[in-house]
Every structure is written in structure tokens, then in C-alpha cells.
Amino acid sequence: MSNKPGNALRTILTLDGLARRDAAINRIHPLSKLLVTLGYIATVVSCNKYDIAGVSSLFIYPFALFLWADLPFGDALRRMKLVLPLVVFIGILNPILDPNRVIIAGHVVSAGVFSFTTLVIKGLFALLASYLLIASTTIDSICYALQCLHMPKILVTQFMLTYRYISVLMEEVQHSVLAYQLRAPKQNGVHHKVWGSLAGQLLLRAIDRATVVYEGMTLRGYTGDFSYLHHSIHAGTRDILYVIGWVIIFISFRLLPVFELLGSIFVHFHLK
């Protein structure tokens, strides 16, 4: 029987470990990284639904950050294998529902093929940008950045606790599934007759664990305020240049036909 809860828990712990590294990208101010991530996603989403070349050119951001952060690209794709099918499912009917037609090499093709491809690329790039943010920034730092943007305190706290309690829930799921495996070693998966009782026990155990975690946080002085990070995280010239540089790149790649310009430059030098 596969240990999916254990794998999910290891994924969360791995991301936490990556976010706590002493790498150059990790030392960028979290507010700068959050603003750049939001700006990148907004730029990707704003592209025309038929502009495959324009959207594809924005791959420069995740490509550069994966190299700079020294993160394996294939590992990121494997971690998103459960979300990518959802993106594909959303646009799977585009080739049928889109009434527009285009002619390519003498063949009539539905414009929905282009909109579907663009949608998948947009979803992939947005997921990669979110992954890079989480893999290079701790959850406390992200909450601090949200607080700097004056997000409502209750929403920031909800975001942080949801992320924290996911690991608690996955740990309890792992224990429950392991206990079931030991009691039914020849059973392939969890039998449907025990789904209800197992889910109820899991909920009660998760609530108990979450209560203990919250009480521990309260005893250590947690009040939902992340201002204490202000003394350890300082914004400098590097962080400002990081935002300005990427904003200029996003605008340039969004407004200019990058692939066409590169192609013309290549042809020009090749003819010379």
C-alpha cells in the first residue's frame, strides 16, 4: 500500500527545509519576493488567450529563479502533478467550444487549441511562481510580507494556521493509515466500510493535536502579529532593485514580441 500521507508530509517538510536555507534568493526581503510573484502572475494572466509565444516568453522568470535558487525543475513538476490535471481539465473543452478557426499549413484548426495551450502554460507558470515563493520563503516571512501589505490580521492568521495544520493533519493521517495497515496487512487500501469511522477518529485526533499546537504557540507569546521579524529582516537596495528589475523585465516581455526580435537578430547575424 502506498504511503501517500507520508509522502505529502515529507513534501511539506522538504519545502520548509528549502525555505530555511542560507541561499541568496532566501535572503531577499519576503515583501520583495511576494510583490514580484504577484506581479508575475498578473502579467501571465493578462496575456491574450491566443498568444502562445507571448506567454511562453515569460518562462524567463521561473527559469532564472530555478537556476539562481539551485532548485531541481523536475522535482517541482512532480510535486504539482496533482494540480496540473485540474488546469488541463478546465480548458479541455476549449477546442470544441471555441467557434473561431485558423488556417495552418492549409489545414483548418480550431482556435480553441491555442487558447487551451495558453491556459495550460499560464497555469503551469503561476504554479511554478508560487512554488518558488514557498521554496525560498518561510511561512512566517510570507505572513510578515502580507502584514506589510496591510492584509487583515484574521486572514493572515488563517493562512498561517492552515499551512501549519496541514502538516498536523497529514501526520495524523499517516498514523491512522499505518495503524490500519498493521491490523489488515493483506488489505489493499482502506476498506470503504471503515471510511466513516476512520475519518471521524482522524478529525478528533487532528483537533486535539491542533489544540495542543495552538496552546503551545500562545504560551510562547503568539498574538497573530509578525512584527517581531522586522528586527531580523531588513529591506535594502538589493531588495528594491530586485523588484524594479523584474518589473522592467515583465513589462518588456509583455509588450514586446521577444521571440520575433530574437529571430530577426539571429537572421541578421546569420546573413552577415
Side-chain angles (χ1 to χ4, degrees):
M1 185 186 299
S2 61
N3 190 9
K4 294 183 179 180
N7 294 335
L9 180 60
R10 281 190 293 272
T11 298
I12 296 174
L13 295 178
T14 300
L15 289 175
D16 282 339
L18 292 174
R20 298 182 186 280
R21 295 184 306 165
D22 188 23
I25 183 64
N26 295 56
R27 292 192 291 270
I28 297 293
H29 197 280
L31 180 58
S32 298
K33 288 185 284 188
L34 178 62
L35 290 176
V36 169
T37 301
L38 294 176
Y40 175 74
I41 294 176
T43 304
V44 169
V45 173
S46 68
C47 291
N48 187 279
K49 64 179 181 178
Y50 300 125
D51 189 10
I52 297 179
V55 176
S56 300
S57 66
L58 293 172
F59 182 66
I60 184 175
Y61 173 71
F63 177 75
L65 255 66
F66 270 106
L67 291 180
W68 187 24
D70 192 23
L71 294 172
F73 182 73
D75 186 58
L77 289 180
R78 285 192 297 272
R79 298 187 189 284
M80 292 184 291
K81 63 183 179 181
L82 296 179
V83 184
L84 286 177
L86 178 61
V87 178
V88 174
F89 177 76
I90 293 175
I92 194 66
L93 294 179
N94 280 26
I96 301 175
L97 300 179
D98 196 324
N100 298 319
R101 297 289 184 269
V102 293
I103 300 177
I104 300 178
H107 299 281
V108 179
V109 181
S110 171
V113 175
F114 294 91
S115 62
F116 169 69
T117 305
T118 304
L119 178 64
V120 173
I121 296 175
K122 287 181 179 181
L124 175 61
F125 286 0
L127 290 173
L128 288 176
S130 302
Y131 174 85
L132 287 166
L133 176 63
I134 297 174
S136 62
T137 315
T138 62
I139 187 63
D140 290 346
S141 298
I142 294 177
C143 291
Y144 171 68
L146 292 173
Q147 183 175 304
C148 292
L149 294 177
H150 301 286
M151 288 286 290
K153 182 177 178 181
I154 188 171
L155 294 181
V156 177
T157 301
Q158 184 67 36
F159 173 73
M160 191 273 292
L161 292 181
T162 300
Y163 184 87
R164 291 298 186 196
Y165 287 165
I166 286 177
S167 59
V168 175
L169 178 61
M170 288 298 101
E171 187 175 350
E172 291 301 328
V173 171
Q174 184 182 18
H175 292 164
S176 299
V177 172
L178 179 60
Y180 183 86
Q181 290 176 346
L182 294 175
R183 289 171 173 79
K186 297 182 180 180
Q187 182 73 45
N188 184 19
V190 179
H191 199 276
H192 64 87
K193 291 184 179 180
V194 299
W195 285 0
S197 59
L198 189 64
Q201 294 176 12
L202 175 63
L203 176 62
L204 294 176
R205 293 182 59 178
I207 291 176
D208 290 339
R209 282 289 307 280
T211 302
V212 172
V213 171
Y214 180 75
E215 290 176 350
M217 293 168 57
T218 304
L219 291 174
R220 289 173 174 80
Y222 173 76
T223 60
D225 188 8
F226 297 89
S227 298
Y228 67 92
L229 291 175
H230 179 72
H231 303 288
S232 58
I233 301 178
H234 304 282
T237 305
R238 176 189 59 180
D239 307 302
I240 298 175
L241 292 177
Y242 179 82
V243 176
I244 295 176
W246 278 118
V247 168
I248 293 175
I249 292 174
F250 295 159
I251 294 176
S252 301
F253 275 70
R254 177 65 180 85
L255 299 179
L256 300 177
V258 178
F259 286 164
E260 294 181 12
L261 293 176
L262 292 177
S264 61
I265 293 174
F266 175 79
V267 171
H268 175 73
F269 281 99
H270 182 71
L271 293 177
K272 281 188 175 182

